[in-house]
Amino acid sequence: MLDAVRAAIRDVPDFPKPGIVFKDITPVLSDGPLFRQVIDALVQRWRGEHIAKVVGIESRGFCFAAPLAYALGAGLTIVRKPGKLPWRTIREAYALEYGEAVLELHEDAFQPGDRVLVVDDVLATGGTAEAVGRLLRRQHAQLISYSFLAELAFLGGAARLGAGNVHALLTY
Ligand code: AMP
């Protein structure tokens, strides 16, 4: 299954900027049996960890976080780009592999001590996930782990997040 996922993920050179090789995971989403196997693998990894909330990072993270939360019987919480969330928010700024950005979370997204799993498609430098970790800490949620479809290990994101904290189905 992992070989099939690796084969499905498409390299797009110079997107969204020159010099970036973008890992396009949309072929994984559009292949029904493969998408189901990926979600099943994530469910198998995280079932039994008593996850209260799965956090999806905008926007490709939502695609994996939502079915995972459903299958685990956990809540889904979304972290979004600025100005998208309707309620009161807290925000964190961070550096990307290609630029800088801000992420927002509803101020009442978590109860203190909530066991939280953070999900995104690709781990690159780890800046995005680290910013989400800061948002969680500000709400005294308990970060159980980060879970990615793929990790670009040569960018050192796992080391930045604390290697024991990071799960990826695939490593590049
Ligand atoms: P980073 O903060 O550097 O770990 O970047 C992670 C975020 O940017 C994730 O939401 C990824 O979807 C996206 N991203 C960064 N670099 C890439 C890449 N080379 N291919 C695909 N997505 C990427």
Side-chain angles (χ1 to χ4, degrees):
M1 184 277 279
L2 293 181
D3 287 344
V5 177
R6 196 180 287 273
I9 294 176
R10 172 164 66 187
D11 280 0
V12 183
D14 300 318
F15 181 89
K17 289 190 176 171
I20 303 292
V21 179
F22 195 84
K23 296 287 181 197
D24 176 19
I25 56 86
T26 60
V28 178
L29 301 177
S30 65
D31 179 331
L34 190 60
F35 184 41
R36 176 175 273 176
Q37 285 173 41
V38 165
I39 298 302
D40 286 349
L42 294 174
V43 172
Q44 200 178 347
R45 172 64 188 82
W46 297 113
R47 179 176 281 150
E49 301 272 356
H50 308 289
I51 303 296
K53 297 265 172 64
V54 178
V55 173
I57 305 179
E58 184 163 357
S59 58
R60 289 175 303 276
F62 298 169
C63 305
F64 300 96
L68 177 58
Y70 171 83
L72 293 176
L76 174 68
T77 299
I78 54 178
V79 168
R80 297 210 61 181
K81 290 165 186 166
K84 301 285 192 185
L85 287 170
W87 187 239
R88 289 196 292 267
T89 58
I90 60 171
R91 54 164 47 202
E92 286 285 338
Y94 65 103
L96 266 182
E97 189 187 1
Y98 42 80
E100 224 192 45
V102 171
L103 285 175
E104 292 185 343
L105 176 69
H106 275 154
E107 66 173 18
D108 56 357
F110 302 111
Q111 301 299 313
D114 269 353
R115 291 174 63 83
V116 176
L117 179 69
V118 177
V119 173
D120 204 356
D121 63 336
V122 173
L123 172 61
T125 64
T128 307
E130 194 178 47
V132 173
R134 291 199 298 273
L135 289 169
L136 261 61
R137 260 199 307 283
R138 286 169 63 184
Q139 294 192 351
H140 308 287
Q142 190 183 346
L143 173 60
I144 300 305
S145 187
Y146 296 97
S147 186
F148 302 93
L149 183 60
E151 173 195 0
L152 308 182
F154 54 91
L155 292 173
R160 181 170 180 176
L161 299 175
N165 254 350
V166 176
H167 177 263
L169 287 179
L170 289 181
T171 300
Y172 290 91

